[in-house]
Amino acid sequence: MNIPFIFKAILFLYVLIFIDLKGKTNYSFVKNAIVGGRMSAANYDQNSFLIVRFVNHFRLGTATDLNPYGFTDEVTPNFLEKVGNAGLYIQENLPGKLWGMVKDPRVVTLALTILTLYAESFAFYPSITSSVTKRVINYVIENVPLWAIKFAVYITLVESTISLAMRACGRFNNEQLMQEFYNPKKV
Amino acid sequence: MVATLFNSAGEYWRFVGAKEFCLSANGKQFLYEKNYLERIGDALVRPILGTSDGLLQNIKRPLFIVAAAIVVIVILTLIFYPSKLTSLMVRSIEPWMIKFGLHIAFQVTILGLGIRAIGRMNNETVAKAWNTHKIIPIPIGAERVQR
């Protein structure tokens, strides 16, 4: 099967699913798909459009945390869901931790110091600095194994997809959860 | 470890560039134990920033103004006619030596500022006092105002 076609098909489905019925395109579909956006257990309506119900099921299956959706404490994740959550732990938590590190004043100071040292070197000795920089960049480009990076990205994407599927499968097989999803308790 | 908080870039630069801190309540010097990063940074920045601090504090004196004018004239002559000036002063000094010396001095000062700033941010005493606004930074050239 033609692999690039599969990626195009998935992308098309994503865009199609998250087009708002009011006619506006929801560009925050990635965030909504993971965080769950505006969906809550109380909003599910079995009489709504098919695509809206599909979207609600998709968000239920893929949301990182179900706490904001108003499910009761009796709903606990089953084994399959826990395995899926474990598989997505790095992808969901590492960006936040990295962003926190980037905002740390110490990291900012270190980066600014390195940048200022480089700028000062360039100001005093531009030709030597630029030739050394070019040599370093060429060395990195020639010696970094691009095939390994490509393979690592591929494995990560496959693992994320499998974990998302396991999480969704676990949730859809959670009777208590689905009971509350289809029959939300009115507040 | 307590994180040092900054509400703006200006606040950050005042923290980094401060020669010392004083208590906001009474203006007395904020005394604390410096960690090894701060001590290394202080030692690296002392040649340039320490000298600048002394010069700026004495800037109002007439003798200093005369000396500063002479230094500026020498620097201008060095920029426009470097070889003639160095041949007048000392025969063995070449212009590239002065350029290299300045380059090293600036690099060491920048590195010292960075190391000192990171050392201050890692110092829990300073971080806590800074976050609770108990201390204010004293820039180079300024004197502490004791109340």
Side-chain angles (χ1 to χ4, degrees):
Chain A
M1 204 164 220
N2 190 0
I3 291 175
F5 170 77
I6 289 175
F7 283 136
K8 283 181 201 169
I10 291 170
L11 188 62
F12 173 74
L13 276 172
Y14 273 1
V15 172
L16 183 68
I17 283 164
F18 293 105
I19 291 174
D20 195 280
L21 285 178
K22 289 177 190 171
K24 299 175 205 169
T25 306
N26 186 2
Y27 289 110
S28 60
F29 66 88
V30 173
K31 183 185 168 193
N32 281 337
I34 294 173
V35 177
R38 296 158 293 171
M39 188 197 78
S40 73
N43 284 347
Y44 181 78
D45 182 8
Q46 60 184 0
N47 297 318
S48 55
F49 291 111
L50 174 65
I51 202 157
V52 174
R53 280 183 279 143
F54 181 82
V55 166
N56 283 335
H57 278 86
F58 183 87
R59 286 175 178 169
L60 173 72
T62 57
T64 306
D65 186 14
L66 289 178
N67 286 336
Y69 302 134
F71 293 109
T72 61
D73 293 337
E74 293 163 2
V75 174
T76 52
N78 54 24
F79 173 75
L80 205 56
E81 190 183 341
K82 284 181 189 171
V83 170
N85 288 343
L88 289 166
Y89 182 81
I90 292 174
Q91 290 89 318
E92 287 173 349
N93 291 293
L94 191 63
K97 286 196 164 73
L98 283 176
W99 180 238
M101 275 172 62
V102 165
K103 290 195 294 182
D104 189 343
R106 287 169 287 188
V107 174
V108 171
T109 305
L110 184 67
L112 279 174
T113 305
I114 293 168
L115 198 66
T116 315
L117 284 170
Y118 180 79
E120 194 270 347
S121 289
F122 194 82
F124 272 77
Y125 300 102
S127 53
I128 297 173
T129 310
S130 56
S131 72
V132 168
T133 308
K134 278 177 199 166
R135 261 190 273 165
V136 167
I137 290 170
N138 285 335
Y139 179 81
V140 167
I141 288 170
E142 283 162 15
N143 290 285
V144 165
L146 289 175
W147 66 266
I149 293 171
K150 184 178 173 184
F151 186 67
V153 169
Y154 169 73
I155 289 292
T156 306
L157 286 173
V158 168
E159 186 263 341
S160 304
T161 307
I162 292 171
S163 300
L164 262 177
M166 287 172 82
R167 174 191 274 176
C169 200
R171 284 180 181 166
F172 294 146
N173 284 317
N174 189 332
E175 282 187 20
Q176 182 72 32
L177 175 68
M178 296 316 292
Q179 182 71 22
E180 287 198 19
F181 181 68
Y182 290 129
N183 303 301
K185 290 168 186 169
K186 301 287 180 190
V187 176
Chain B
M1 189 171 289
V2 178
T4 321
L5 303 172
F6 302 102
N7 294 321
S8 65
E11 208 176 286
Y12 169 79
W13 288 115
R14 281 193 292 275
F15 180 86
V16 167
K19 64 174 179 180
E20 59 188 18
F21 297 99
C22 74
L23 296 166
S24 49
N26 53 20
K28 286 186 182 170
Q29 189 182 5
F30 177 64
L31 297 166
Y32 63 98
E33 196 179 333
K34 294 185 180 179
N35 54 29
Y36 70 96
L37 279 176
E38 277 184 272
R39 281 187 240 132
I40 291 171
D42 273 340
L44 291 174
V45 304
R46 194 168 296 131
I48 300 275
L49 295 189
T51 313
S52 307
D53 181 41
L55 291 174
L56 285 168
Q57 288 197 22
N58 294 300
I59 200 166
K60 294 170 210 164
R61 295 188 185 175
L63 191 63
F64 173 81
I65 295 170
V66 170
I70 293 171
V71 167
V72 167
I73 290 167
V74 167
I75 290 169
L76 283 170
T77 313
L78 197 67
I79 292 167
F80 280 86
Y81 303 104
S83 50
K84 283 199 187 302
L85 181 68
T86 51
S87 66
L88 280 172
M89 289 163 64
V90 179
R91 294 210 180 259
S92 57
I93 293 180
E94 300 287 326
W96 67 264
M97 290 179 188
I98 297 173
K99 181 180 176 183
F100 186 69
L102 279 174
H103 169 62
I104 294 295
F106 284 140
Q107 291 262 308
V108 165
T109 306
I110 292 165
L111 187 65
L113 270 174
I115 292 173
R116 188 179 70 173
I118 292 173
R120 282 176 178 171
M121 288 172 201
N122 278 336
N123 193 321
E124 281 204 32
T125 316
V126 174
K128 271 186 201 165
W130 178 264
N131 292 341
T132 51
H133 306 288
K134 284 186 181 156
I135 55 172
I136 48 176
I138 305 294
I140 56 166
E143 291 173 10
R144 271 175 268 125
V145 178
Q146 295 210 4
R147 298 188 198 94

